[in-house]
Amino acid sequence: MAKQHLKPVCTRLELNAASYLKRNIRFKNQPVSAIIFAFEACAYAYVNHCMHMHRPLNCEQDAIFDETGKYLRCSMHGFIFDPKTGECQSPVCFGQRLQTLRLEEFDGTLYFAEKHLTLID
Ligand code: FES
């Protein structure tokens, strides 16, 4: 992939030190937020948008994981998601997925690797 499609997100050290990070982005011409986190030593990023009632996962509390740390959890109604795939595990939205944002890592820095993404701040 050409480097011009890479937009810096954070360093790997910053990500490892945080439970999650949030970035304001424009994705496919929509202003949205992205959540970025490390899970089992891998970095993941998703558009921060629960498909149930279209709320950010952290809308009611400053957290995106459930108490076990094994699942992402929307703080609005408690729906849970597989952190590796973004797939909803709760019955109403079972099988629907959070929008994945591809990441690349070079020299300890993570980048969004999406053509249709720009950083807002
Ligand atoms: S809005 Fe996310 S679980 Fe309802």
Side-chain angles (χ1 to χ4, degrees):
M1 170 173 285
K3 284 235 180 199
Q4 64 264 29
H5 294 314
L6 300 178
K7 291 92 182 181
V9 180
C10 62
T11 67
R12 184 56 127 139
L13 288 176
E14 287 173 308
L15 190 64
N16 290 345
S19 58
Y20 73 103
L21 297 173
K22 201 178 100 180
R23 295 288 182 264
N24 293 322
I25 60 170
R26 184 171 289 277
F27 184 63
K28 297 181 177 173
N29 286 324
Q30 297 298 315
V32 294
S33 69
I35 48 173
I36 308 100
F37 56 89
F39 182 76
E40 295 181 354
C42 291
Y44 297 89
Y46 296 99
V47 172
N48 189 13
H49 180 96
C50 177
M51 70 287 290
H52 177 222
M53 287 195 176
H54 311 291
R55 302 292 302 266
L57 273 65
N58 60 339
C59 63
E60 292 291 314
Q61 64 185 75
D62 183 19
I64 61 167
F65 277 90
D66 71 356
E67 59 283 350
T68 71
K70 292 182 179 166
Y71 294 98
L72 298 173
R73 178 182 179 276
C74 178
S75 57
M76 189 71 208
H77 304 105
F79 285 21
I80 58 171
F81 303 85
D82 182 330
K84 294 181 178 178
T85 64
E87 187 173 79
C88 187
Q89 306 296 300
S90 297
V92 174
C93 299
F94 187 81
Q96 295 182 51
R97 290 174 188 249
L98 301 172
Q99 171 68 56
T100 301
L101 298 169
R102 285 181 298 125
L103 295 171
E104 301 265 347
E105 184 171 350
F106 295 104
D107 297 330
T109 299
L110 288 156
Y111 299 84
F112 289 121
E114 294 282 353
K115 235 185 225 180
H116 303 289
L117 183 154
T118 53
L119 300 171
I120 292 178
D121 56 18

